[in-house]
Each structure stands twice: as structure tokens, then as C-alpha cells.
Amino acid sequence: MTDGGSLRERLIDAGVELVLSEGSGSVGLREIARRAGVSHGAPRRYFPTHDALLSAVARRGFEDLRTRFETAVAGTTTARGRLEALAREYVAYARERRGMFELMFRHDLLDSAPQAPGRPRLRESTLPLFGHFAELVARCRAERHAGQPADGPGEAGPPPRVTAAALWSNLHGLAQLWAWGSLQLALGDPPPDGDTGDARPDRLIAAVLDAHLGPVTP
């Protein structure tokens, strides 16, 4: 890696650290430069705008989430099992890295111009993840239908991408509402049915999957 590349990575490292510790609103070019130990004008050589810097930081978040997804599904063979593992990891990531999670899905960053010449838009990091969700939804349906008689009733439903979008929306909303404390209020605090606080998100995730994919049959 060139010295310029090393400095660029150091600036992004500083941005990630700031987002995780203080939230995305704290990430400014001057503070990034101070933490990286360079002049306040240095970041402009690599990030011509504030959004370009935020996009680079958010891209790190997607790389981290993708790595966590790969670990979560290791050894899982069924599409439903993989989707459940991804859903749990998605919500867990949002709870553990709230500032980064909020930054990663900001519309103004996802739809902005490329962060630097020759670099893709941030949304190019989200599309493969969504495509994988849609592929797993289609496989879930195939697995579900495989267990039915050939002359049994078919299941009409929206295209897999539409179901995947609805499923993703539910998971994202679950993660945000849990972070804000809204779901805890709705469910009751303390939990009315003996669940621990950490178990309730998993039960909600299971309910979301059942709603969009149908319950798991014995």
C-alpha cells in the first residue's frame, strides 16, 4: 500500500472510531485529522466532501457486517436456517454498533455521488446483501414446496424480491425500535412472560420470519 493509501486508511480508521464511540454526528474532517495526527487540510486530498468521508466510513461497516454474516451462517445448510442466522446477526449488529448502523443506511449517502473518482457509490455495498436475502427467500419457498404433494395447493405470494424487501424492512424496524426502547415498552417491562430481555429480540425475529415465510413445519 502506498503512503497515501495508508493515510487514507488511517483517516477512515479514525472515522470508524468516532462513529462507534460518539455517533455519526460527531464525524467531521477536522476531528478526523486531529485523531489521525495530520493537518486539518489533509483529509481533503482523499475526501473532497464530508459525505465522501462518511461514505467511506459506512463502507467499513458493510464490510464488517458481511464478515459477521459469513461467520453466522457457517455450517448452516438450509435456506431458512441461513436466513434466521442472518436476521439475528443483523439485529445484533444494530444493537451493538448503533452509530454505525444508522450511518450505513442514510439515504443521502447511499444515493450520493461516488465518494472519490473511480470508487462506486455506497449503495453498491448494500445491493449484494439484499440480493442474497432475495435468493434465500426464493430457496426457502422451494424447500417449503418440496415437502408438499405434487397435487397439493400452491402458495401464492409476491415475488421473492418483494418478500425480501418486506422482511428486511421488518428487521430494520425491529432493530431501530428496540434501540429506541419502543418495543420494550410495547412488550412490557419487566417482560410479562418470564423472558429475559436478551431473549425477546430473538422471539420477535422468529415471528418476523414466520410472518413472511410461513411457520416451520415439523
Side-chain angles (χ1 to χ4, degrees), residues 1-208:
M1 183 179 290
T2 64
D3 290 343
S6 297
L7 177 55
R8 184 179 185 279
E9 294 305 306
R10 278 170 50 202
L11 293 168
I12 298 173
D13 288 343
V16 170
E17 189 178 295
L18 264 174
V19 169
L20 294 179
S21 61
E22 302 180 29
S24 60
S26 64
V27 182
L29 294 175
R30 283 181 176 270
E31 180 59 16
I32 292 292
R34 187 188 71 78
R35 292 203 174 205
V38 297
S39 68
H40 68 266
R44 293 288 184 184
R45 292 184 304 191
Y46 308 100
F47 308 105
T49 66
H50 186 228
D51 280 358
L53 173 59
L54 291 178
S55 293
V57 172
R59 189 179 298 278
R60 280 282 190 85
F62 280 112
E63 292 169 359
D64 183 26
L65 183 59
R66 187 177 298 108
T67 298
R68 291 174 64 147
F69 277 176
E70 292 171 355
T71 300
V73 300
T76 306
T77 57
T78 67
R80 178 64 176 253
R82 293 175 75 88
L83 261 179
E84 183 173 356
L86 294 180
R88 289 174 184 267
E89 197 59 50
Y90 189 83
V91 174
Y93 187 88
R95 295 174 64 193
E96 296 166 15
R97 303 197 159 207
R98 183 175 175 182
M100 181 65 80
F101 186 78
E102 292 175 351
L103 178 67
M104 288 160 60
F105 295 100
R106 273 180 43 177
H107 178 267
D108 57 330
L109 299 182
L110 289 169
D111 202 38
S112 64
Q115 55 172 302
R119 295 184 180 275
R121 297 174 189 265
L122 178 62
R123 66 187 180 202
E124 301 306 322
S125 294
T126 66
L127 294 177
L129 293 179
F130 174 69
H132 188 48
F133 264 69
E135 177 188 349
L136 287 174
V137 166
R139 285 178 52 194
C140 279
R141 288 183 177 175
E143 290 174 1
R144 188 176 179 85
H145 293 162
Q148 295 179 349
D151 58 350
E155 290 185 28
R161 289 183 68 83
V162 173
T163 298
L167 174 60
W168 180 21
S169 299
N170 269 194
L171 292 173
H172 199 89
L174 190 164
Q176 289 283 34
L177 290 171
W178 191 269
W180 294 332
S182 303
L183 284 176
Q184 293 89 319
L185 290 174
L187 293 172
D189 191 12
D193 51 6
D195 283 341
T196 63
D198 287 340
R200 286 183 293 170
D202 287 345
R203 292 190 65 186
L204 290 170
I205 290 169
V208 168

